[in-house]
Amino acid sequence: QVQLQESGPGLVKPSQTLSLTCTVSGGSITTSNSGWSWIRQPPGKGLEWMGVITYDGSTYYIPSLKSRTSISRDTSKNQFSLHLSSVTPEDTAVYYCARQGSSWWLSEYDYWGQGTQVTVSS
């Protein structure tokens, strides 16, 4: 059983960097063809995929967030992290980490974290 757990501050000030970490247990973030994604859901809106780091460390982001987003990993801790810079209140959302187990290039998420609320407020 793979488990993912998000952690990080629940409140971030505008213009600062939002940083979250996903800790993975029961599976390795370096497993062949796996992908490890960040997805968010603003209040009253649908899920928005943000980006992914693949099993070999490649990263991909949606164009609207590419300039502000960085996903990194620490394989020794089996963790990957999200860094979203220059945040505004529009970045307020529940943030999830999720796994693409067999095909990182497909939007098939077999395991999710429980989500963590992040509020951007001055």
Side-chain angles (χ1 to χ4, degrees):
Q1 182 75 24
V2 177
Q3 294 182 328
L4 293 80
Q5 177 67 60
E6 304 91 346
S7 61
L11 182 64
V12 183
K13 291 182 169 63
S15 82
Q16 293 186 336
T17 295
L18 183 161
S19 295
L20 298 172
T21 295
C22 184
T23 300
V24 179
S25 62
S28 174
I29 63 173
T30 62
T31 297
S32 294
N33 293 330
S34 67
W36 305 87
S37 287
W38 287 98
I39 300 158
R40 69 180 182 180
Q41 185 170 33
K45 298 183 179 180
L47 295 168
E48 178 185 40
W49 180 81
M50 302 177 69
V52 61
I53 186 163
T54 72
Y55 67 101
D56 63 353
S58 299
T59 54
Y60 302 89
Y61 312 104
I62 56 171
S64 61
L65 294 174
K66 182 172 61 179
S67 66
R68 298 195 291 131
T69 306
S70 177
I71 300 174
S72 60
R73 67 179 184 170
D74 185 339
T75 58
S76 70
K77 297 180 179 179
N78 211 33
Q79 295 177 330
F80 64 105
S81 296
L82 170 71
H83 306 278
L84 182 66
S85 66
S86 303
V87 298
T88 75
E90 295 298 314
D91 295 309
T92 294
V94 177
Y95 285 76
Y96 300 90
C97 54
R99 184 184 86 151
Q100 293 116 293
S102 61
S103 306
W104 66 265
W105 56 93
L106 298 176
S107 298
E108 299 176 352
Y109 309 102
D110 52 2
Y111 292 95
W112 294 68
Q114 65 182 13
T116 186
Q117 172 71 47
V118 179
T119 299
V120 179
S121 176
S122 61

